[in-house]
Amino acid sequence: MTDLNIHRQTQVNQDDLFLQDIFAGWSAVGQKTLPCKYFYDEKGSQLFDQICQTPEYYHTRTELAILARALPEVAQYIGPHADILEFGSGAGIKIRKLIDALSSPRTYIPIDISEEILLASSAQLAQQYPELAVFPVVADYLSPIQLPEQFSHQSEHKKLVFFPGSTISNFEPQAAIHFIKHIRALLGEGDALLIGVDLVKPAERILAAYNDAQGVTAAFNMNLLQRIQNTYQTDLDLDTFCHRAIYNVERSRIEMHLISTVQQDIQIEGRRFAFAEQESIHTENSYKYSLESFQLLARNGGFDCTHCYTDAQQLFSVHYLTA
Ligand code: AVI
């Protein structure tokens, strides 16, 4: 296997963090919650890849088609020998398209919390692109991160942050601005952020994408409970929950919930939590933006909206934002 220069920044045990978040999210007065970042264990990451291939989930196919058109232009704007940083690197199909389009990119810094998947995909990339220096960073990118020096302000090379897949949709709008500001702070003038953003559209189309006929999204949502069952001492019974995705029109967001189909008490590691029949655990928000509302957000985050690409049906968008 290719030698990789790996940066690890996960001091806190993920199982301990997850347990703390379950306790906090289930003992709150009112709506119970679980953070969506816990979807992505090994099984969850596989299920997410399957979601991306369902006929209803238009996001991935559409973004890839937009990228095919946009990337030759992006390569012109950013120029040769760029340093690329990617948040939440995943399966690696889109990054290959970007690397292939750019002229002799210098470094690639993928940041992901799932160490196994990150290291496997980084090793493959390093082998496939021997000229590219790959520096994987194992970290939760929602926490402050110390980046490898190759991505420092001093470098005379242009920097490009790649954040595809509309992961920004899973941030609350204020947190999204905060995160975009954080990205801006990593960049110097003329550097850029290339980001994919899902667009507002008729509710039926969006609802279908989160209630696919094969039930993959349901399995993805239910896997959070499976992860609890696999990790902790619990009497949790998966058969007493079901998946629900609703579209909240006022807030332009899909909400995913896990619904308790019975009244019950659930015990986890010695703590009990009461559920009423039909009570929900809110597991994810996925915000849908108009081109204008996202561009406003990007400007509030300190970027110029230099170029914007969409498909003919305006299902999805890719923005080239300049620092
Ligand atoms: C990763 N993220 C942009 C996906 C979304 O569409 O919000 C996660 C997802 N949840 C259900 N299906 C896909």
Side-chain angles (χ1 to χ4, degrees), residues 39-40 48 51 57 59 165-167 169-170 209-210 217 220 256 284-286 288:
F39 280 137
Y40 302 93
F48 180 64
I51 289 176
Y57 199 76
H59 310 47
S166 201
T167 303
S169 290
N170 300 130
Y210 294 83
T217 310
F220 175 70
M256 292 223 304
E284 185 180 59
N285 286 323
S286 188
K288 310 301 164 193

Side-chain angles (χ1 to χ4, degrees), residues 25-226:
W26 289 17
S27 43
V29 182
Q31 178 68 62
K32 289 184 172 61
T33 58
L34 281 176
C36 62
K37 66 176 177 179
Y38 295 110
F39 280 137
Y40 302 93
D41 64 354
E42 204 183 336
K43 177 80 182 160
S45 300
Q46 281 168 9
L47 285 166
F48 180 64
D49 287 345
Q50 283 178 38
I51 289 176
C52 294
Q53 287 162 32
T54 61
E56 296 90 343
Y57 199 76
Y58 53 84
H59 310 47
T60 315
R61 281 188 301 283
T62 315
E63 186 178 40
L64 279 168
I66 297 171
L67 284 172
R69 260 191 313 111
L71 288 180
E73 288 185 28
V74 169
Q76 297 296 318
Y77 306 141
I78 202 76
H81 313 301
D83 294 320
I84 310 166
L85 180 130
E86 186 179 15
F87 289 107
S89 44
I93 299 167
K94 293 170 198 165
I95 190 63
R96 282 181 170 73
K97 305 264 180 221
L98 179 63
I99 294 168
D100 289 342
L102 296 190
S103 161
S104 316
R106 194 176 72 126
T107 49
Y108 171 54
I109 303 174
I111 306 177
D112 208 296
I113 190 76
S114 315
E115 175 157 350
E116 248 172 76
I117 300 170
L118 175 68
L119 298 191
S121 65
S122 298
Q124 273 177 13
L125 267 177
Q127 210 160 43
Q128 192 180 345
Y129 299 94
E131 306 296 306
L132 185 73
V134 181
F135 297 97
V137 177
V138 184
D140 176 359
Y141 61 76
L142 300 175
S143 309
I145 305 170
Q146 181 82 40
L147 287 177
E149 62 187 18
Q150 286 73 13
F151 211 76
S152 75
H153 269 310
Q154 286 80 23
S155 162
E156 78 269 26
H157 298 271
K158 282 282 192 65
K159 295 195 264 291
L160 178 64
V161 173
F162 190 40
F163 197 37
S166 201
T167 303
I168 197 72
S169 290
N170 300 130
F171 290 65
E172 292 305 301
Q174 273 311 315
I177 295 179
H178 190 77
F179 190 65
I180 299 232
K181 278 186 180 160
H182 164 67
I183 295 176
R184 175 65 188 84
L186 300 173
L187 302 178
E189 220 163 285
D191 293 337
L193 165 62
L194 186 65
I195 183 168
V197 183
D198 193 16
L199 297 176
V200 256
K201 60 186 69 62
E204 311 78 70
R205 185 78 195 254
I206 303 181
L207 276 166
Y210 294 83
N211 289 292
D212 64 278
Q214 293 167 65
V216 189
T217 310
F220 175 70
N221 200 9
M222 288 292 292
N223 184 56
L224 262 182
L225 297 178
Q226 182 72 64

